[in-house]
């Protein structure tokens, strides 16, 4: 998987803000692709540091799934 390791200062930007940016800046329903890029390395994923980040990532994934489902969009395929 192509990944980016994000180091951040929680006093300046919260993990919740980073998750919001993540969800709003890609299509989490495309499975093993993003736009014209295809393959397993283009899957959507969140790799967390601790249990608190895992819980937050899972909760936001579920929230976005509810929103997408309410408008008839696809299923979130993002791995956590």
């Amino acid at each position: 998987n192509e990944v980016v390791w994000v180091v951040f200062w929680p006093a300046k930007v919260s993990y919740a803000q980073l998750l919001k940016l993540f969800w709003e800046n890609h299509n989490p329903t495309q499975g093993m692709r993003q736009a014209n890029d295809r393959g397993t390395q283009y899957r959507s994923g969140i790799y967390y540091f601790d249990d608190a980040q895992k819980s937050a990532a899972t909760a936001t994934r579920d929230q976005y799934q509810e929103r997408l489902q309410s408008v008839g969009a696809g299923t979130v395929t993002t791995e956590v």
Side-chain angles (χ1 to χ4, degrees):
N1 202 5
E2 293 183 351
V3 299
V4 175
W5 182 331
V6 178
V7 178
F8 65 101
W9 294 344
K12 295 191 180 238
V13 61
S14 70
Y15 188 62
Q17 289 171 304
L18 293 175
L19 287 170
K20 184 176 187 303
L21 286 170
F22 172 81
W23 292 114
E24 292 179 352
N25 285 286
H26 84 294
N27 185 341
T29 68
Q30 291 189 327
M32 300 295 179
R33 68 184 181 100
Q34 283 296 304
N36 291 325
D37 297 320
R38 299 178 192 286
T40 59
Q41 71 270 32
Y42 297 108
R43 66 190 181 273
S44 175
I46 299 173
Y47 308 103
Y48 49 87
F49 180 74
D50 58 23
D51 288 339
Q53 286 186 356
K54 179 183 179 183
S55 294
T58 302
T60 58
R61 180 198 61 202
D62 296 346
Q63 291 167 359
Y64 274 83
Q65 180 58 66
E66 286 179 23
R67 291 182 196 167
L68 290 170
Q69 195 169 14
S70 72
V71 296
T75 301
V76 171
T77 60
T78 301
E79 59 189 37
V80 176

